[in-house]
Amino acid sequence: MNGTVLTVAGLYLVILLRAGATFAAGWFVGSGVRRSRFSERIPAARLGRAEDAIRRWGMPVVAVSFLTVGFQTAVNFVAGTLRMPLRRYLPALFVGGAAWAALYGIVGTGVFAFLRWLFTRHTGIGVAAVAVLLLAAATAVVLRRRDRSPAGDPVTGREPS
């Protein structure tokens, strides 16, 4: 079997299990979602947007959410808390999950094939490219953490008086 097909099939299984478990967690938590520990992991604004979208559009929101980053977890969880019927949720999960698996599987294997080609033909450029990507990722993490930290003295961490 082709490596890309196996990758897409594996990712499809992963997304079905992950999204299904997130939906089930929402189902069991029910209306107490805002008071749960799990809700601390998803910002309230994101939960609110997901709830509004699901109430308005239903199944298509669940399917399309798989093409977003971060929003899909909130949508699957809120769909569970709203007790979306399985006859509506499962088709959206299967379609959206297939799109997600195909997108990430095909793009992912394409990126790895390109990197393999780059490292075998132009090792120096490949190493430099990976170094730049790692530096960019580290910078993004540092900037994001700095934006989330409370405003205070950067040395002492105390609030200004």
Side-chain angles (χ1 to χ4, degrees), residues 95-159:
V95 170
W100 180 88
L103 177 70
Y104 279 87
I106 292 168
V107 170
T109 55
V111 167
F112 282 120
F114 173 73
L115 287 174
R116 184 176 53 236
W117 174 85
L118 186 62
F119 274 95
T120 57
R121 306 273 186 204
H122 309 285
T123 306
I125 295 173
V127 169
V130 169
V132 167
L133 288 173
L134 289 174
L135 182 61
T139 302
V141 168
V142 168
L143 291 175
R144 191 168 190 186
R145 284 188 180 168
R146 186 170 25 165
D147 288 345
R148 288 185 179 179
S149 67
D153 185 352
V155 175
T156 64
R158 294 185 186 151
E159 293 290 322

Side-chain angles (χ1 to χ4, degrees), residues 15-16 26 65 67 69 75-76 90 97 101 104 106 129 131 134 142 144:
I15 198 64
L16 291 179
S65 75
L67 302 178
V69 176
V75 166
N76 283 284
L90 290 177
Y104 279 87
I106 292 168
L134 289 174
V142 168
R144 191 168 190 186

Side-chain angles (χ1 to χ4, degrees), residues 8-47:
V8 170
L11 287 173
Y12 189 55
L13 179 63
V14 166
I15 198 64
L16 291 179
L17 293 173
R18 180 182 169 268
T22 304
F23 176 82
W27 185 280
F28 289 118
V29 170
S31 62
V33 65
R34 302 279 192 277
R35 297 181 305 272
S36 72
R37 279 187 164 172
F38 190 81
S39 71
E40 296 170 6
R41 297 174 187 244
I42 303 173
R46 189 175 292 162
L47 285 173

Side-chain angles (χ1 to χ4, degrees), residues 82-100:
L82 295 175
R83 308 280 175 145
M84 180 182 248
L86 287 177
R87 71 180 188 281
R88 291 192 174 146
Y89 176 75
L90 290 177
L93 170 64
F94 294 142
V95 170
W100 180 88

